[in-house]
């Protein structure tokens, strides 16, 4: 019954959120204009595409990026034909030269960005079949790739009073505690939960420890999550990194602020879940768009789902 109860609660919450989405932002809430630039990575389909569409619908200029040029151009064209202000540029977050090209292009064409939504990610586990053979790929894309694009974009983030925003798409599968947490490794949990002493190095070490155990074939006894293992670990790392990043960025002076948060879109019907999800891409995208546009900017270093803060 606990599952039924939580399913009912979530359905009810999703209905509320769908309603909230129909309420337009009032003039004093709109800190953005058509000159405000948002970048969404991995946005040729699914949640990423939907976030581009919703942000452009709110009147921002949105840059859709995708690893595959042709697919990305087509996706952007669909939105452009719908009257949305959407631009496209190829971006492979695993490739340093691709990141450099992208930054150079932004500099020349726009000069800066205001919002960065890190949606690009991979998952090779479909259904209950769990394999760790692609662990290196999953970690290097979902965690290292995300970190690399963030670091490259920060110098290009506009210094303005509303503050720039970074939003990381993560997952409840990466949670450290709570009844859905699949992490049994107490030492890792303790390290990642200790926000005051948490550093990027500690997160990197944790991820390396996992990958070493995968190489040695000892990961199963290592207390890592048993299902969606590599994906869960990659998202756990991004969640932790979001907190470290928010802490570093919070030391910036007024007028140069950058806020960083992460969110779980839920189990969405997209190619990544083999279309086995239970919520639409539109609902899945909502919290990311809401976080990117928050009128009350002082929110940073937090984790959200269905427009509500949840614990890490």
């Amino acid at each position: 019954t606990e599952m039924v109860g939580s399913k009912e609660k979530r359905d009810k919450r999703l209905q509320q959120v769908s309603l909230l989405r129909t309420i337009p932002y009032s003039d004093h809430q709109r800190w953005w204009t058509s000159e405000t630039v948002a970048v969404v990575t991995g946005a040729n389909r699914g949640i990423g595409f939907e976030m581009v569409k919703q942000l452009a619908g709110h009147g921002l200029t949105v840059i859709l990026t995708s690893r595959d040029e042709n697919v990305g151009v087509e996706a952007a064209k669909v939105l452009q034909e719908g009257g949305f202000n959407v631009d496209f540029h190829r971006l492979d977050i695993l490739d340093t030269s691709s990141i450099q090209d992208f930054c150079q292009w932004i500099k020349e064409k726009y000069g800066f960005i205001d919002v960065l939504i890190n949606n690009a990610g991979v998952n090779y586990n479909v259904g209950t079949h769990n394999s760790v053979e692609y662990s290196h790929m999953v970690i290097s894309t979902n965690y290292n790739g995300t970190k690399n694009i963030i670091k490259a974009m920060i110098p290009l983030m506009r210094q303005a009073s509303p503050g720039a925003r970074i939003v990381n798409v993560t997952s409840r599968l990466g949670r450290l505690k709570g009844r859905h947490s699949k992490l049994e490794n107490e030492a890792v949990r303790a390290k990642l939960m200790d926000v005051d002493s948490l550093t990027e190095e500690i997160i990197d070490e944790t991820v390396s420890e996992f990958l070493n155990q995968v190489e040695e074939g000892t990961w199963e006894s290592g207390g890592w999550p048993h299902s969606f293992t590599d994906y869960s670990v990659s998202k756990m790392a991004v969640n932790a990194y979001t907190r470290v990043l928010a802490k570093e960025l919070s030391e910036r002076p007024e007028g140069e602020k950058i806020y960083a948060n992460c969110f779980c879109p839920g189990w969405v019907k997209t190619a990544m879940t083999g279309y086995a999800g239970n919520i639409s891409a539109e609902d899945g995208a909502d919290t990311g768009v809401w976080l990117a546009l928050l009128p009350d900017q002082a929110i940073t270093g937090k984790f959200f789902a269905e427009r509500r803060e949840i614990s890490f």
Side-chain angles (χ1 to χ4, degrees):
T1 56
E2 187 180 12
M3 280 310 289
V4 174
S6 71
K7 188 191 176 319
E8 277 175 10
K9 271 206 300 235
R10 184 166 304 169
D11 287 348
K12 199 173 160 192
R13 181 62 190 156
L14 283 171
Q15 284 174 333
Q16 289 175 324
V17 167
S18 292
L19 257 173
L20 289 170
R21 201 182 315 136
T22 63
I23 304 168
Y25 285 87
S26 63
D27 288 345
H28 75 274
Q29 287 177 312
R30 294 172 71 100
W31 55 270
W32 63 91
T33 67
S34 59
E35 306 285 293
T36 304
V37 180
V39 169
V40 184
T41 68
N44 51 292
R45 63 176 195 207
I47 298 167
F49 179 81
E50 196 50 56
M51 286 192 287
V52 171
K53 187 177 173 184
Q54 290 181 26
L55 285 167
H58 285 299
L60 288 82
T61 293
V62 191
I63 298 160
L64 182 157
T65 82
S66 152
R67 201 169 37 177
D68 179 328
E69 177 109 27
N70 298 336
V71 175
V73 166
E74 282 310 308
K77 201 179 282 174
V78 168
L79 295 173
Q80 288 158 355
E81 285 166 3
F84 293 106
N85 196 0
V86 172
D87 200 348
F88 170 77
H89 199 277
R90 183 181 176 275
L91 172 64
D92 180 351
I93 62 170
L94 275 177
D95 176 357
T96 335
S97 66
S98 174
I99 292 178
Q100 283 168 345
D101 279 354
F102 182 61
C103 288
Q104 200 44 47
W105 176 79
I106 294 251
K107 246 184 244 172
E108 286 165 16
K109 188 163 182 183
Y110 293 98
F112 53 78
I113 70 165
D114 299 277
V115 173
L116 171 64
I117 299 187
N118 295 297
N119 172 69
V122 292
N123 167 36
Y124 295 95
N125 295 302
V126 173
T128 49
H129 175 69
N130 187 41
S131 148
V132 293
E133 62 180 302
Y134 301 107
S135 295
H136 275 279
M137 184 62 175
V138 172
I139 300 279
S140 45
T141 306
N142 297 1
Y143 174 54
N144 300 103
T146 298
K147 261 191 347 183
N148 292 341
I149 187 67
I150 288 173
K151 288 177 180 182
M153 290 275 106
I154 284 176
L156 294 180
M157 298 195 94
R158 192 199 324 231
Q159 298 188 357
S161 58
R165 293 98 194 283
I166 296 171
V167 177
N168 297 326
V169 181
T170 70
S171 171
R172 289 181 180 91
L173 290 169
R175 286 175 82 179
L176 297 167
K177 61 171 195 203
R179 66 189 170 89
H180 295 301
S181 172
K182 305 287 183 265
L183 180 69
E184 290 159 18
N185 186 320
E186 284 305 330
V188 165
R189 178 183 286 126
K191 261 195 309 204
L192 298 181
M193 290 288 294
D194 184 355
V195 189
D196 295 331
S197 52
L198 190 61
T199 61
E200 186 182 337
E201 289 70 41
I202 289 173
I203 307 168
D204 289 349
E205 281 161 22
T206 304
V207 163
S208 303
E209 185 187 331
F210 167 67
L211 290 173
N212 291 338
Q213 290 182 20
V214 168
E215 300 277 300
E216 292 161 6
T218 58
W219 69 272
E220 281 176 280
S221 58
W224 305 100
H226 292 289
S227 56
F228 294 96
T229 304
D230 48 12
Y231 182 77
S232 300
V233 172
S234 74
K235 294 307 194 179
M236 197 162 75
V238 174
N239 286 346
Y241 181 65
T242 303
R243 293 170 111 166
V244 169
L245 182 68
K247 203 163 69 173
E248 283 172 10
L249 295 172
S250 68
E251 286 151 18
R252 294 180 147 226
E254 280 309 318
E256 294 173 30
K257 295 279 188 205
I258 300 176
Y259 305 102
N261 294 291
C262 55
F263 83 102
C264 174
W267 204 232
V268 182
K269 295 184 191 69
T270 61
M272 192 185 261
T273 63
Y275 297 96
N278 55 6
I279 56 178
S280 67
E282 211 180 0
D283 280 333
D286 174 76
T287 301
V289 172
W290 171 77
L291 279 172
L293 300 181
L294 276 178
D296 172 17
Q297 314 88 25
I299 293 177
T300 195
K302 297 189 183 308
F303 186 14
F304 292 85
E306 285 96 42
R307 295 196 184 197
R308 281 186 178 160
E309 190 185 343
I310 57 175
S311 72
F312 282 88

Short mmCIF file of all heavy atoms in Angstrom, two decimals, residues 30-55:
data_model
loop_
_atom_site.label_atom_id
_atom_site.label_comp_id
_atom_site.label_asym_id
_atom_site.label_seq_id
_atom_site.Cartn_x
_atom_site.Cartn_y
_atom_site.Cartn_z
N ARG A 30 9.09 38.24 -14.47
CA ARG A 30 9.89 37.98 -15.67
C ARG A 30 11.18 38.77 -15.65
O ARG A 30 11.19 39.93 -16.05
CB ARG A 30 9.09 38.33 -16.92
CG ARG A 30 7.87 37.47 -17.14
CD ARG A 30 7.03 38.03 -18.29
NE ARG A 30 7.71 37.82 -19.57
CZ ARG A 30 7.40 36.83 -20.40
NH1 ARG A 30 6.44 35.98 -20.12
NH2 ARG A 30 8.06 36.70 -21.53
N TRP A 31 12.24 38.14 -15.22
CA TRP A 31 13.53 38.83 -15.21
C TRP A 31 14.20 38.72 -16.59
O TRP A 31 15.23 39.32 -16.85
CB TRP A 31 14.45 38.24 -14.14
CG TRP A 31 14.64 36.75 -14.28
CD1 TRP A 31 13.88 35.78 -13.70
CD2 TRP A 31 15.62 36.07 -15.08
NE1 TRP A 31 14.32 34.53 -14.10
CE2 TRP A 31 15.38 34.69 -14.94
CE3 TRP A 31 16.66 36.51 -15.90
CZ2 TRP A 31 16.15 33.72 -15.58
CZ3 TRP A 31 17.43 35.53 -16.56
CH2 TRP A 31 17.18 34.16 -16.38
N TRP A 32 13.62 37.93 -17.48
CA TRP A 32 14.23 37.67 -18.78
C TRP A 32 13.53 38.43 -19.90
O TRP A 32 12.41 38.90 -19.74
CB TRP A 32 14.20 36.17 -19.08
CG TRP A 32 12.81 35.60 -19.20
CD1 TRP A 32 12.06 35.49 -20.34
CD2 TRP A 32 11.99 35.11 -18.14
NE1 TRP A 32 10.83 34.96 -20.06
CE2 TRP A 32 10.76 34.70 -18.71
CE3 TRP A 32 12.17 34.96 -16.76
CZ2 TRP A 32 9.71 34.17 -17.96
CZ3 TRP A 32 11.13 34.42 -16.01
CH2 TRP A 32 9.92 34.04 -16.60
N THR A 33 14.22 38.52 -21.05
CA THR A 33 13.65 39.12 -22.25
C THR A 33 13.99 38.19 -23.41
O THR A 33 14.58 37.13 -23.20
CB THR A 33 14.29 40.49 -22.56
OG1 THR A 33 15.67 40.25 -22.93
CG2 THR A 33 14.22 41.44 -21.38
N SER A 34 13.68 38.63 -24.62
CA SER A 34 14.01 37.80 -25.78
C SER A 34 15.53 37.76 -26.03
O SER A 34 16.02 36.97 -26.82
CB SER A 34 13.30 38.32 -27.03
OG SER A 34 13.69 39.66 -27.24
N GLU A 35 16.26 38.64 -25.31
CA GLU A 35 17.72 38.67 -25.44
C GLU A 35 18.38 37.68 -24.48
O GLU A 35 19.59 37.50 -24.51
CB GLU A 35 18.27 40.07 -25.09
CG GLU A 35 17.64 41.20 -25.85
CD GLU A 35 18.15 41.27 -27.27
OE1 GLU A 35 19.35 41.56 -27.46
OE2 GLU A 35 17.36 41.02 -28.20
N THR A 36 17.60 37.10 -23.58
CA THR A 36 18.14 36.16 -22.60
C THR A 36 18.43 34.84 -23.31
O THR A 36 17.59 34.31 -24.02
CB THR A 36 17.11 35.95 -21.47
OG1 THR A 36 16.81 37.23 -20.92
CG2 THR A 36 17.65 35.05 -20.39
N VAL A 37 19.66 34.33 -23.10
CA VAL A 37 20.09 33.15 -23.84
C VAL A 37 20.19 31.92 -22.93
O VAL A 37 20.88 31.94 -21.91
CB VAL A 37 21.47 33.40 -24.50
CG1 VAL A 37 21.93 32.17 -25.29
CG2 VAL A 37 21.42 34.62 -25.41
N ALA A 38 19.49 30.87 -23.33
CA ALA A 38 19.55 29.61 -22.59
C ALA A 38 20.14 28.53 -23.49
O ALA A 38 19.86 28.49 -24.69
CB ALA A 38 18.15 29.19 -22.13
N VAL A 39 20.96 27.66 -22.91
CA VAL A 39 21.54 26.53 -23.64
C VAL A 39 21.00 25.25 -23.01
O VAL A 39 21.01 25.10 -21.79
CB VAL A 39 23.08 26.53 -23.52
CG1 VAL A 39 23.69 25.23 -24.03
CG2 VAL A 39 23.67 27.72 -24.27
N VAL A 40 20.51 24.33 -23.85
CA VAL A 40 20.08 23.03 -23.34
C VAL A 40 20.88 21.96 -24.08
O VAL A 40 20.84 21.88 -25.31
CB VAL A 40 18.57 22.79 -23.56
CG1 VAL A 40 18.15 21.45 -22.93
CG2 VAL A 40 17.74 23.93 -22.98
N THR A 41 21.63 21.14 -23.34
CA THR A 41 22.45 20.10 -23.99
C THR A 41 21.63 18.82 -24.19
O THR A 41 20.68 18.55 -23.47
CB THR A 41 23.71 19.77 -23.15
OG1 THR A 41 23.32 19.12 -21.92
CG2 THR A 41 24.50 21.03 -22.82
N GLY A 42 22.03 18.06 -25.20
CA GLY A 42 21.35 16.80 -25.50
C GLY A 42 19.87 17.01 -25.74
O GLY A 42 19.03 16.31 -25.20
N ALA A 43 19.55 18.01 -26.59
CA ALA A 43 18.16 18.47 -26.66
C ALA A 43 17.44 18.11 -27.95
O ALA A 43 16.42 18.67 -28.27
CB ALA A 43 18.13 19.98 -26.45
N ASN A 44 17.98 17.14 -28.69
CA ASN A 44 17.32 16.79 -29.96
C ASN A 44 16.04 15.97 -29.76
O ASN A 44 15.25 15.83 -30.68
CB ASN A 44 18.29 16.03 -30.86
CG ASN A 44 18.95 14.87 -30.16
OD1 ASN A 44 19.75 15.09 -29.26
ND2 ASN A 44 18.62 13.66 -30.54
N ARG A 45 15.83 15.43 -28.55
CA ARG A 45 14.61 14.65 -28.33
C ARG A 45 14.29 14.63 -26.83
O ARG A 45 15.02 15.17 -26.01
CB ARG A 45 14.80 13.21 -28.84
CG ARG A 45 15.88 12.48 -28.09
CD ARG A 45 16.03 11.03 -28.51
NE ARG A 45 16.82 10.33 -27.50
CZ ARG A 45 17.56 9.26 -27.74
NH1 ARG A 45 17.61 8.75 -28.95
NH2 ARG A 45 18.24 8.68 -26.77
N GLY A 46 13.18 13.99 -26.52
CA GLY A 46 12.84 13.73 -25.12
C GLY A 46 12.72 14.97 -24.26
O GLY A 46 12.20 16.01 -24.68
N ILE A 47 13.22 14.87 -23.03
CA ILE A 47 13.10 15.94 -22.04
C ILE A 47 13.85 17.20 -22.50
O ILE A 47 13.37 18.31 -22.32
CB ILE A 47 13.65 15.48 -20.67
CG1 ILE A 47 12.84 14.29 -20.16
CG2 ILE A 47 13.60 16.60 -19.64
CD1 ILE A 47 13.49 13.59 -18.99
N GLY A 48 15.02 17.01 -23.09
CA GLY A 48 15.82 18.15 -23.54
C GLY A 48 15.06 18.98 -24.56
O GLY A 48 14.98 20.21 -24.46
N PHE A 49 14.49 18.31 -25.55
CA PHE A 49 13.72 18.97 -26.60
C PHE A 49 12.55 19.74 -25.99
O PHE A 49 12.28 20.88 -26.32
CB PHE A 49 13.21 17.93 -27.60
CG PHE A 49 12.37 18.51 -28.71
CD1 PHE A 49 12.98 19.11 -29.81
CD2 PHE A 49 10.99 18.46 -28.66
CE1 PHE A 49 12.21 19.65 -30.84
CE2 PHE A 49 10.21 19.00 -29.68
CZ PHE A 49 10.83 19.60 -30.78
N GLU A 50 11.89 19.11 -25.04
CA GLU A 50 10.73 19.71 -24.39
C GLU A 50 11.13 20.93 -23.57
O GLU A 50 10.40 21.93 -23.53
CB GLU A 50 10.07 18.62 -23.52
CG GLU A 50 8.70 18.89 -23.06
CD GLU A 50 7.70 19.34 -24.12
OE1 GLU A 50 7.49 18.66 -25.13
OE2 GLU A 50 7.11 20.41 -23.91
N MET A 51 12.30 20.90 -22.93
CA MET A 51 12.76 22.06 -22.17
C MET A 51 13.06 23.23 -23.10
O MET A 51 12.76 24.38 -22.78
CB MET A 51 13.98 21.71 -21.29
CG MET A 51 13.57 20.87 -20.09
SD MET A 51 14.87 20.69 -18.83
CE MET A 51 15.98 19.57 -19.62
N VAL A 52 13.64 22.94 -24.26
CA VAL A 52 13.91 23.99 -25.25
C VAL A 52 12.59 24.64 -25.65
O VAL A 52 12.45 25.86 -25.67
CB VAL A 52 14.61 23.42 -26.50
CG1 VAL A 52 14.68 24.47 -27.61
CG2 VAL A 52 16.01 22.93 -26.15
N LYS A 53 11.61 23.80 -25.94
CA LYS A 53 10.32 24.28 -26.41
C LYS A 53 9.64 25.16 -25.35
O LYS A 53 9.13 26.24 -25.65
CB LYS A 53 9.44 23.07 -26.73
CG LYS A 53 8.12 23.41 -27.37
CD LYS A 53 7.36 22.13 -27.71
CE LYS A 53 5.96 22.45 -28.19
NZ LYS A 53 5.20 21.20 -28.41
N GLN A 54 9.67 24.71 -24.09
CA GLN A 54 9.01 25.48 -23.03
C GLN A 54 9.74 26.80 -22.75
O GLN A 54 9.09 27.84 -22.57
CB GLN A 54 8.89 24.63 -21.76
CG GLN A 54 7.87 23.49 -21.91
CD GLN A 54 7.70 22.64 -20.65
OE1 GLN A 54 7.93 23.10 -19.54
NE2 GLN A 54 7.31 21.39 -20.83
N LEU A 55 11.07 26.77 -22.73
CA LEU A 55 11.82 28.02 -22.49
C LEU A 55 11.58 29.01 -23.63
O LEU A 55 11.38 30.21 -23.39
CB LEU A 55 13.32 27.73 -22.35
CG LEU A 55 13.76 27.09 -21.04
CD1 LEU A 55 15.19 26.57 -21.17
CD2 LEU A 55 13.67 28.07 -19.87
#
